[in-house]
Amino acid sequence: MNIILFGPPGAGKGTQAQFIVQKHNYFQLSTGDLLRKEVKLKTTLGVQIEKLITNGKFASDEIVNTLLRQSITNLKFRDRIIFDGYPRNVDQAKNLELILSEFNQTIGHIIFLNVSKEIIEKRIMGRMTCDRCNMTLNEFFNKDQIELHPCGKEHLKKRKDDNFDVIVSRYDTYMKTTKPVLDFYSKKVNLTEIDGAAEIELITSKINSVLNV
Ligand code: AMP
């Protein structure tokens, strides 16, 4: 059974995906991470993607769907994928259905982390991600953990698209383009809404209880 972690940028999808990976033996499939990997490799595609991401624009469905297909068809991940940042529009949701049914797989749960725009702004402005272990910390809320980070604090980097103007535009795109995906799934899949503004541990325990049923 695959899972979709759904919510606006900064809802905590990546953080919670890492806990699910550890506890439930899942594989996190973050399309944002796949795109950033391509940017890091400085391929021709990577250069195009970087411009889009930096400006808060979506990568094309064609690019994202190709990257996604490579992971879905990997037998190691079969029926144990947690989708983080995908689908981001209704066409991507339809594409996901097609690929999954082609490979006899399903979506078991959608977990919707709902967070207000005000909280998202605070979270994203302080977000730092480790370029070695992918852990995410916040420069305002996790000062001690940053100093003690096992990989060394020099590995904690801010994303270029985590600035105020880009956040506002990413949030608007989420409301217009991504949120309608919930309607697409509402009658098909178990959908659970969780308050994404709650403490990280509380959200994790709610997700655990949903996944253990
Ligand atoms: P994220 O790491 O999920 O916040 O994604 C970072 C950026 O990557 C987004 O703002 C988009 O520019 C791009 N991106 C990630 N996932 C997708 C997707 N499913 N479709 C299109 N663009 C995406």
Side-chain angles (χ1 to χ4, degrees), residues 67-112:
L67 293 173
L68 183 99
R69 195 179 176 90
Q70 289 162 1
S71 303
I72 293 182
T73 52
N74 184 338
L75 286 178
K76 202 170 93 180
F77 301 158
R78 191 181 167 75
D79 260 329
R80 303 218 66 78
I81 298 175
I82 167 149
F83 293 98
D84 159 13
Y86 190 98
R88 251 179 161 93
N89 60 38
V90 173
D91 281 341
Q92 291 185 2
K94 289 179 182 163
N95 176 66
L96 183 61
E97 282 212 327
L98 282 178
I99 306 182
L100 289 178
S101 73
E102 191 183 331
F103 291 91
N104 271 324
Q105 296 187 55
T106 52
I107 301 287
H109 289 280
I110 299 187
I111 295 168
F112 170 33

Side-chain angles (χ1 to χ4, degrees), residues 8-10 13 30-33 35-36 49 52-61 64-65 68 84-89 92 124 127 159 161-162 166 170:
K13 301 187 292 293
S30 152
T31 41
D33 283 349
L35 291 164
R36 281 185 288 275
I49 295 171
L52 294 167
I53 292 187
T54 308
N55 292 309
K57 304 260 184 305
F58 279 1
S60 74
D61 285 355
V64 182
N65 291 344
L68 183 99
D84 159 13
Y86 190 98
R88 251 179 161 93
N89 60 38
Q92 291 185 2
I124 297 191
R127 177 156 73 177
R159 281 169 41 173
D161 56 340
D162 281 352
V166 175
R170 280 160 62 199

